[in-house]
Amino acid sequence: MRKLRLLPLVAALALPGCQTEESGPVTIRIFNRNPATGEYGEFDASFSTLADAHTLRGALGAVKTHATWLLSDNVQGSAGFLVEGSEAPLCAYHVRDGVWIPEDFDTAAMASTYWGLEQSRSFFIRLGLGEAELTPMDIHFNPRVELAFPNIPTFWLFTDNAGYVPTLDAFQIIPHVYYKPEVPFFMNQGVLAHEYGHRVFALLAENGSRKAVDTEWSEPSQLQYDALNEALSDVFAGTMTGKPDFIADSVPLEGRDMSVVRVMGDADVRKLITATTPEGEADLGPHGMGAFIAAALWQLGENVGDHERVARAVIETERTMGAQLAAAPTSQFNLVEWFNLFSTHLSSSEQAAFCPLLKERFSLLFEADSAHPLTACP
């Protein structure tokens, strides 16, 4: 279903464990990207906003287990999931020299994911979002997913994933069946920042709507909008981790490395403006089409020497998108018009660095889409 922005995730997860006797801000041994070294592995992480370590609940939100997700055609006016039943985990630790050490894999997995999402939330606050905007949310650990046929297992359709689900304003963490990377997706800081970026897009550009705003749009508008959403989340993830190929720590995907120069060709342009794939050509989908946008924005960060500045401009643009949508609900979206809007949030020197990039990498798009001129660049 559209709007489930999920990435593969790998981990063999069991049932939640037992308990310890304390709660509050603590230091827990986890597996994720260590900010001090930039490397993935075990380290002792401080949970500054954690209210209860037993149940992993705090300013970020709360971990939930044993939930059943049911696919419905009428969730917030569109297709989406409903949740039946859930409960808080009861995590198992022992304390050594002031560090809480998980006693089972489930506890380590849930704590590592919680910390990564908490770090993502702090990153977006640093980019300019208010703490009050990023309200607590649920993180569903290993939910049972039922699609068209209740009580029939569907793990082969929903597996290896960590994703944000807008209709629930919640995350889902689902264990692996076949991926076995060194860094499971739910412990990959870039993947978690990418998914949190989808939440920020929903909060700002879509004004917190639980319904996909582009449900009734044309297919080209939907493709361009979803490609942009994926691209901006990639930019956030790369900026937070400092890695343009953040997914490669889990699964090597050359098509998502933002450091690669990507020039939109004839077939790519046709796909973007018609939402059809010529016979014999690969269907790139929103992620693949978004890779062109993400690579250009990443190179802009390189050219101006400040990736966080570009990320802040993206945040400001998403706010403007939300304001425009609230003032005049639209029935279409166009990527060239987004480039024009984004440029208004750049300084004159940043615009001077951005325009050559656009003309180099999207010139065929501008020629093919003459109805939407690139006014940002003379």
Side-chain angles (χ1 to χ4, degrees), residues 10-223:
V10 180
L13 307 180
L15 295 177
C18 298
Q19 60 191 5
T20 185
E21 296 180 354
E22 301 179 41
S23 62
V26 293
T27 297
I28 301 176
R29 184 157 298 169
I30 65 167
F31 184 100
N32 204 308
R33 178 179 178 274
N34 188 334
T37 65
E39 301 297 326
Y40 282 90
E42 286 189 354
F43 66 99
D44 299 336
S46 174
F47 286 65
S48 58
T49 66
L50 192 63
D52 189 334
H54 308 94
T55 59
L56 292 172
R57 175 178 54 81
L60 169 71
V63 173
K64 301 291 184 181
T65 62
H66 298 109
T68 296
W69 287 32
L70 305 172
L71 187 63
S72 171
D73 289 331
N74 189 25
V75 177
Q76 306 293 335
S78 62
F81 282 115
L82 296 173
V83 175
E84 285 190 354
S86 67
E87 58 188 66
L90 203 52
C91 297
Y93 309 89
H94 64 271
V95 181
R96 183 191 306 158
D97 298 328
V99 178
W100 290 29
I101 301 175
E103 292 188 343
D104 55 64
F105 185 77
D106 293 5
T107 299
M110 290 185 285
S112 297
T113 300
Y114 188 100
W115 184 85
L117 289 171
E118 183 180 66
Q119 294 300 299
S120 300
R121 180 176 183 269
S122 296
F123 169 72
F124 283 103
I125 290 172
R126 190 167 78 240
L127 291 182
L129 275 87
E131 292 190 34
E133 291 180 284
L134 302 178
T135 54
M137 60 186 302
D138 289 340
I139 303 103
H140 286 267
F141 179 85
N142 197 17
R144 176 184 176 85
V145 179
E146 294 185 357
L147 298 179
F149 304 100
N151 301 318
I152 296 179
T154 54
F155 61 84
W156 54 84
L157 296 175
F158 282 84
T159 185
D160 302 284
N161 277 315
Y164 173 69
V165 183
T167 54
L168 296 175
D169 188 28
F171 281 92
Q172 63 174 194
I173 306 298
I174 301 179
H176 84 282
V177 170
Y178 52 88
Y179 284 121
K180 293 184 178 179
E182 292 184 9
V183 180
F185 268 34
F186 68 92
M187 294 177 177
N188 183 318
Q189 183 61 70
V191 169
L192 296 175
H194 172 103
E195 294 303 332
Y196 207 99
H198 285 313
R199 187 192 192 207
V200 169
F201 188 90
L203 290 172
L204 300 183
E206 300 178 348
N207 299 307
S209 172
R210 297 289 187 89
K211 176 183 177 180
V213 301
D214 58 344
T215 300
E216 306 300 328
W217 294 1
S218 68
E219 289 188 8
S221 289
Q222 290 183 18
L223 176 60

Side-chain angles (χ1 to χ4, degrees), residues 105-349:
F105 185 77
D106 293 5
T107 299
M110 290 185 285
S112 297
T113 300
Y114 188 100
W115 184 85
L117 289 171
E118 183 180 66
Q119 294 300 299
S120 300
R121 180 176 183 269
S122 296
F123 169 72
F124 283 103
I125 290 172
R126 190 167 78 240
L127 291 182
L129 275 87
E131 292 190 34
E133 291 180 284
L134 302 178
T135 54
M137 60 186 302
D138 289 340
I139 303 103
H140 286 267
F141 179 85
N142 197 17
R144 176 184 176 85
V145 179
E146 294 185 357
L147 298 179
F149 304 100
N151 301 318
I152 296 179
T154 54
F155 61 84
W156 54 84
L157 296 175
F158 282 84
T159 185
D160 302 284
N161 277 315
Y164 173 69
V165 183
T167 54
L168 296 175
D169 188 28
F171 281 92
Q172 63 174 194
I173 306 298
I174 301 179
H176 84 282
V177 170
Y178 52 88
Y179 284 121
K180 293 184 178 179
E182 292 184 9
V183 180
F185 268 34
F186 68 92
M187 294 177 177
N188 183 318
Q189 183 61 70
V191 169
L192 296 175
H194 172 103
E195 294 303 332
Y196 207 99
H198 285 313
R199 187 192 192 207
V200 169
F201 188 90
L203 290 172
L204 300 183
E206 300 178 348
N207 299 307
S209 172
R210 297 289 187 89
K211 176 183 177 180
V213 301
D214 58 344
T215 300
E216 306 300 328
W217 294 1
S218 68
E219 289 188 8
S221 289
Q222 290 183 18
L223 176 60
Q224 294 182 43
Y225 186 78
D226 290 345
L228 176 69
N229 193 346
E230 295 298 338
L232 301 186
S233 279
D234 275 359
V235 170
F236 291 138
T239 301
M240 182 179 179
T241 62
K243 301 190 70 171
D245 59 344
F246 63 92
I247 296 178
D249 288 306
S250 295
V251 176
L253 294 176
E254 294 182 3
R256 298 287 290 281
D257 185 348
M258 292 182 287
S259 67
V260 174
V261 175
R262 302 188 187 280
V263 178
M264 191 166 278
D266 284 323
D268 306 312
V269 170
R270 288 198 303 273
K271 169 65 176 176
L272 195 66
I273 64 179
T274 67
T276 59
T277 301
E279 185 176 353
E281 296 182 3
D283 183 356
L284 297 179
H287 292 86
M289 299 306 295
F292 292 100
I293 308 166
L297 293 175
W298 183 262
Q299 188 59 50
L300 175 61
E302 292 285 290
N303 290 353
V304 302
D306 190 345
H307 288 286
E308 282 207 8
R309 168 66 195 112
V310 174
R312 288 191 180 92
V314 168
I315 292 292
E316 293 165 4
T317 306
E318 289 184 359
R319 286 194 187 279
T320 303
M321 291 171 67
Q324 291 179 344
L325 183 64
T330 183
S331 59
Q332 63 181 357
F333 177 83
N334 180 267
L335 180 59
V336 179
E337 291 184 352
W338 187 87
F339 286 144
N340 291 331
L341 179 63
F342 174 70
S343 295
T344 66
H345 294 284
L346 300 176
S347 68
S348 57
S349 62

